[in-house]
């Protein structure tokens, strides 16, 4: 995919037209979407939206550019010349900045960093969001870019102006200060943790080779051109070219799980010119350099050359991906020495990770919209008041005072309550015993878990355990499963003991099978001999190397010296580039035929009787995604027989093997069971046949034109009429409960996309076995496309299919997105499931962003390896699994879980509850502010529109805190259905994605309730208390508190004992405070300054009148709620009844 990504492309079309509009700013010179075909192939792949603008925009700018040159002088400057100058200056500055950052190919001299022509970036890892200077401005900007917070800041600052001062300063600044302090503390702790992690990585020590010997250097001080020694199990600090190793074979294994998510080891080969040098120090006695292409995203490709100048003829050696050691991978065998070619920001691993963004939940954005609506209402109300007042006196000052008086319409406590609610949800998630080990790393977005529409998941290690187990061996007439493997073992033991006795008896070394074949080739083989052939083929046809861990911790050289004599079973592990191959070789070991040694030229097997059988490797044809098969030609040391073994996918092998009637059917059967199938075949070659082949093969390898095609043609000449030996089935075990979890998510209306770096066949197989694609569904496999025309045809073919899952490879996806982004995303979103295979980390993140951009729906990404980090950070909600591939994904994620099955409960129960509770809490807090503002409006209008506060400082603070906070906050304990019900009926989750719990409709209902209740409370207090008018504050405030407590009771769906405690505790606090705060219960200090007599409160009239007002304000709402439940019950109530 990314090997074609031009970082700063200058397409030919642009150069051709450059003469026309040199004065047009660079930003407008975009490629056109509708260019001629040859230009299409050069378009940058990761193209922005503006890049699709039509070329006409260029031509619109032509006349303008010419006209601007005609006018000169002052007139020209005033008419827009200043704009032109500014634009030119900006362009010039941008170009200067860009020029410095342009990535270039480089020549790196071995061990001579000082010879580098350019200055390359430091090799330091930096994951921090802020530095020392930007921390406070950065955090403040993140807070005040929200309208809600900015509004409070302005209101609080206005209190420093004497004419506008309404209450005490603390009533405004205390809540705001509290919110800011909490946020800053949280950010500072996160930032400090990031800093510590980076520091730990940057201060790891490595050995650097210099003329004077080895020197220890920090990882962050490594430069391009340094020769670095990396020991076994050490992380590779920067991108290097592999020069030497302690292994005799000249190759080593590295673990790449943190780079591409594959847990299998990769074989890397040292540059042969430097590997052949007698000693380490000779690296400085030669004059050599590496030419490397410019840094790019693609982790699977590299082009470069190694040149040695001081030898007789200059030695040139081509470098490919197998000669590289990328940063963030780990050396798995031996000690390696490499020359650094890319550092820091230019390493493949850093270029493939995206910067983490600050995630903001959808609920917070919706509340932000509602607060803007409230602000407009607030301004409108204040203008109405001033208008009714008749614009007398300094009306603008009165307008501002009204704005402040009604500022409670937008309550500061909204932020405090929601933030505390989020913390409470996080605590509940971490304390849930049903999902142990779950960690909430981003505490600001638990409600997002309740709004997800797309779930993008990794395959290896997320859906599967990445443990392969051999399940089935099929020989055409007989099939062996896990329970009949002991039969195979007894056959193998028999056949090898026969051979052994025969060879010792005859003193010749030919095997019985050879004699039978030569005399009568048509004799039908016995089952025993067929099993023997099949097992031998599986034990020989692979790319697996046995690795022995030495018990003494000595260096690599001695470790291998003792291995030659000691093939003991307990310290042997197998390494290969594919876990399937390891599973096959482990299985042959379990039935008695063990691979004990392998190097580049030979391999040794141990028979059940303990004999060592040696085979010479003549040729190896590795697996490629095009050929879908691998082959090997070996010569048996004892008999001199040459055999060509081959194994591969059924699609590739069915045409190669001799005619048979069972292969296709059995492959289908195994695939339906979710097994990965491989077909194994062989062909015996005579010495003459092999020599002829070898000559043609070597000639093809030396050709300059169409080398790959010619080599493939020579190999294909061997691949004819091969003898089919067997069909194997290997199972990649799924994680626990993957199938029911995926089914639950599907029923909840969540669309699941699987993005994996694995092969197409494997991905399709897992998609079927995990029930990501249900059995009845068709699967449309998107053909590989490389041009616009092919993509067009293939998309049309796909458009005609209905309700089928899509399987597409990363390269084809890239082509489709390049030309038909909108159409492709539209089609893919209609699919029930999508599988993208061979995806690079950047592509995964790109797909997430596409979905967000085109659908506007919430996305969730889940993965477990370093290659999933970009995708997890790009998604609205990232979930990491602590897996075998390390903790990188779980550290970068917003939520970290230990098993895939936990995601069901996390979304269906916690996500659903968090969203519903926060929606109720947010609206209730707004209602609490609206009701008091309505009362203030009624009060002011009755008293000749005076801008005097109805309730004094402490009453207002008390109202928002001690009197009503606990009952209102106890809404975070509310739930509409039990967790078991939510898991049993995932369809309940579907409703949430429509966002009906918090919308303008529900918000308007709450506004109407607030206006009705505020009006009743104030007018009721004024009507019933004509004689004791002084006590209007005490009466209305008491009724207000009772109304709020009753409203909480009305909103709650499931009672919790803490809710009852909160209700009574608040009521108790209020009654107790009546005695202490009596001076506040006058009507503002301005008017009467009356005190509250306790005698009056205890009278029956006070009590019945307060009760009457409260009943009138609440009873109609209770009746309405009862009728609604009766005639249009919500979906969940049907389940609870």
């Amino acid at each position: 995919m990314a090997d074609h990504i031009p970082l700063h492309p200058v397409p030919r079309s642009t150069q051709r037209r450059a003469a026309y509009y040199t004065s047009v700013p660079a930003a407008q010179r975009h490629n056109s979407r509708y260019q001629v075909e040859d230009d299409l192939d050069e378009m940058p792949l990761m193209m922005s939206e503006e890049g699709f603008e039509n070329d006409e925009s260029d031509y619109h700018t032509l006349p303008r550019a010419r006209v601007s040159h005609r006018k000169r002088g002052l007139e020209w400057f005033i008419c827009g010349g200043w704009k032109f100058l500014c634009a030119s200056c900006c362009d010039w500055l941008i170009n200067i900045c860009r020029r410095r950052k342009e990535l270039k190919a480089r020549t790196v001299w071995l061990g001579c960093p000082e010879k580098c022509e350019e200055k390359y970036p430091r090799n330091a890892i930096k994951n921090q969001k802020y530095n020392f200077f930007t921390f406070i401005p950065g955090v403040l900007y993140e807070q005040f870019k929200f309208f809600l917070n900015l509004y409070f800041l302005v209101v609080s600052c206005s209190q420093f102006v004497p004419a506008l001062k309404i209450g005490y300063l603390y009533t405004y600044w205390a809540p705001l200060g509290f919110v800011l302090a909490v946020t800053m503390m949280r950010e500072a702790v996160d930032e400090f943790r990031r800093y510590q992690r980076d520091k730990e990585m940057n201060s790891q020590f490595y050995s650097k080779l210099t003329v004077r010997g080895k020197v220890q250097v920090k990882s962050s001080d490594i430069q391009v051109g340094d020769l670095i020694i990396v020991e076994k199990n050490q992380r590779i600090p920067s991108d290097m070219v592999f020069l030497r190793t302690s292994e005799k074979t000249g190759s080593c294994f590295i673990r790449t799980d943190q780079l591409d998510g594959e847990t299998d080891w990769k074989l890397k080969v040292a540059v042969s010119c430097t590997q052949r040098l007698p000693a380490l120090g000779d690296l400085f006695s030669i004059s050599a350099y590496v030419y490397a292409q410019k840094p790019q995203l693609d982790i699977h490709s590299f082009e470069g050359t190694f040149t040695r100048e001081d030898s007789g003829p200059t030695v040139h050696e081509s470098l490919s991906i197998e000669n590289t050691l990328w940063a963030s991978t780990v050396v798995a065998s031996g000690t390696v020495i490499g020359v650094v070619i890319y550092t820091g920001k230019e390493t493949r691993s850093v270029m493939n990770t995206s910067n983490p963004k600050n995630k903001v939940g959808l609920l917070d954005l919706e509340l932000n919209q509602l607060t803007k609506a409230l602000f407009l209402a607030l301004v409108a109300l204040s203008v109405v008041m001033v208008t009714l007042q008749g614009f007398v006196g300094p009306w603008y000052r009165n307008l501002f005072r009204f704005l402040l008086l009604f500022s409670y319409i937008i309550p500061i406590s909204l932020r405090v309550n929601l933030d505390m609610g989020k913390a409470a949800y996080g605590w509940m998630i971490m304390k849930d015993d049903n999902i142990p080990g779950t960690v909430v790393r981003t505490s600001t977005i638990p409600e997002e878990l309740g709004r997800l529409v797309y779930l993008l998941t990794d395959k290896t290690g997320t859906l599967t355990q990445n443990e392969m187990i051999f399940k089935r061996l099929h020989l055409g007439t007989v099939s062996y499963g896990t329970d009949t493997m002991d039969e195979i073992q007894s056959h193998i033991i028999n056949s090898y003991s026969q051979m052994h006795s025969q060879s010792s008896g005859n003193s010749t070394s030919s095997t019985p099978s050879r004699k039978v074949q030569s005399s009568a080739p048509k004799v039908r083989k016995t089952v025993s001999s067929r099993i023997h052939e099949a097992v031998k083929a599986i034990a020989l046809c692979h790319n697996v190397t046995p690795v022995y861990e030495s018990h003494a911790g000595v260096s690599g050289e001695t470790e291998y010296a003792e291995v030659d004599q000691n093939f003991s079973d307990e310290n042997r592990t197998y390494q290969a580039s594919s876990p399937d191959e390891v599973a096959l070789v482990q299985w042959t070991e379990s039935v008695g035929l063990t691979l004990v040694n392998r190097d580049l030229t030979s391999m040794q097997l141990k028979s059940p009787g303990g004999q060592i059988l040696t085979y010479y490797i003549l040729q190896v044809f590795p697996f490629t995604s095009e050929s879908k098969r691998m082959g090997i030609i070996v010569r048996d040391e004892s008999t001199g027989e040459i055999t060509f073994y081959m194994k591969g996918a059924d699609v590739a092998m069915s045409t190669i093997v001799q005619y048979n009637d069972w292969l296709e059917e059995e492959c289908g059967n195994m695939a339906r069971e979710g097994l990965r199938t491989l077909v194994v075949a062989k062909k015996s070659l005579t010495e003459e046949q092999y020599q002829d082949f070898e000559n043609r093969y070597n000639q093809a390898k030396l050709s300059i034109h169409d080398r790959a095609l010619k080599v493939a043609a020579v190999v294909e000449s061997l691949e004819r009429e091969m003898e089919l030996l067997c069909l194997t089935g290997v199972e990649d075990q799924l994680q626990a409960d993957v199938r029911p979890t995926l089914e639950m998510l599907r029923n909840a209306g969540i669309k699941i996309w699987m993005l994996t770096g694995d092969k197409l066949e494997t991905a399709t197989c897992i998609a079927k076995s995990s029930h990501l694609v249900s059995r009845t569904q068709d699967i449309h496999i998107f053909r590989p496309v490389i041009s616009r025309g092919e993509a067009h045809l293939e998309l049309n073919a796909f458009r005609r299919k209905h309700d089928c899952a899509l399987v597409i490879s990363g390269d084809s996806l890239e082509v489709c997105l390049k030309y038909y982004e909108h159409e492709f995303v539209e089609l893919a979103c209609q699919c029930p499931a999508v599988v993208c295979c061979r995806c690079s980390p950047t592509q995964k993140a790109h797909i997430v962003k596409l979905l967000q951009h085109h659908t506007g729906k919430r996305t969730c990404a889940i993965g477990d390896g370093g290659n999933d980090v970009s995708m997890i950070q790009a998604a609205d909600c990232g979930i990491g699994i602590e897996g075998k591939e390390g903790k990188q994904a779980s550290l970068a994620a917003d939520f970290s879980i230990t098993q895939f099955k936990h995601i069901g409960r996390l979304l269906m129960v916690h996500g659903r509850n968090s969203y519903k509770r926060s929606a109720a809490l947010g609206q209730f807090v707004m209602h609490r502010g609206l009701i008091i503002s309505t009362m203030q409006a009624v009060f002011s209008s009755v008293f000749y529109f005076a801008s005097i506060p109805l309730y004094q400082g402490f009453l207002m603070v008390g109202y928002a805190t001690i009197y009503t906070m606990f009952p209102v906050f106890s809404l975070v304990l509310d739930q509409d259905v039990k967790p078991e019900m939510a898991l049993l009926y995932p369809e309940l989750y579907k409703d949430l994605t429509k966002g009906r719990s918090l919308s303008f409709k529900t918000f308007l209902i709450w506004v109407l309730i607030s206006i009705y209740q505020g009006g009743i409370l104030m007018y009721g207090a004024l009507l019933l208390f004509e004689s004791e008018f002084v006590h209007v504050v005490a009466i209305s405030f008491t009724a207000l508190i009772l109304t709020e407590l009753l409203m909480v009771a009305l909103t709650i769906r499931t009672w919790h004992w803490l809710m009852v405690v909160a209700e009574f505790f608040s009521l108790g606090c209020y009654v107790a405070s009546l005695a202490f705060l009596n001076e506040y219960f006058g009507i503002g200090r301005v008017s009467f300054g009356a005190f509250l007599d306790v005698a009056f409160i205890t009278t029956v009239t006070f009590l019945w009148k307060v009760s009457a007002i409260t009943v009138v304000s609440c009873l109609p709402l209770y009746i309405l709620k009862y009728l609604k439940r009766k005639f249009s019950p919500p979906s969940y109530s049907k389940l609870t009844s």
Side-chain angles (χ1 to χ4, degrees), residues 852-885:
Q852 291 168 337
H853 178 76
H854 280 275
T855 64
K857 300 277 193 285
R858 303 319 261 177
T859 56
C860 170
I862 177 168
D864 70 322
N867 62 319
D868 304 317
V869 169
S870 299
M871 159 173 92
I872 284 172
Q873 287 176 340
D876 297 302
C877 169
I879 300 178
I881 297 183
E882 284 194 22
K884 294 189 174 157
E885 301 182 10

Side-chain angles (χ1 to χ4, degrees), residues 1056-1068:
H1056 186 284
W1057 64 271
L1058 278 170
M1059 296 173 170
V1060 183
V1061 170
E1063 289 266 343
F1064 283 108
F1065 174 72
S1066 296
L1067 191 59

Side-chain angles (χ1 to χ4, degrees), residues 111 230 380 442 499 502 709-710 754 772 871 877 906 992 998:
V230 186
T442 308
M499 282 172 60
Q502 211 138 7
L709 284 173
K710 289 179 182 170
M754 182 165 92
L772 176 70
M871 159 173 92
C877 169
L906 192 64
L992 305 187
L998 175 71

Side-chain angles (χ1 to χ4, degrees), residues 955-998:
L955 282 191
M956 292 306 291
V957 176
Y959 171 67
T961 54
I962 196 155
Y963 299 150
T964 59
M965 188 180 99
F966 297 108
V968 172
F969 188 66
S970 71
L971 287 172
V972 303
L973 300 168
D974 191 20
Q975 56 180 28
D976 49 1
V977 291
K978 289 194 165 64
E980 296 70 41
M981 278 294 195
L983 289 167
L984 192 58
Y985 298 103
E987 291 77 10
L988 288 171
Y989 187 88
K990 241 184 221 172
D991 294 346
L992 305 187
T993 50
K994 298 172 185 144
R996 288 185 182 152
S997 300
L998 175 71

Side-chain angles (χ1 to χ4, degrees), residues 132-147:
F132 184 73
F133 299 104
T134 58
F135 177 70
I136 289 178
V139 176
L140 290 178
Y141 168 72
E142 285 297 332
Q143 284 305 302
F144 291 123
K145 74 177 180 187
F146 283 107
F147 177 75

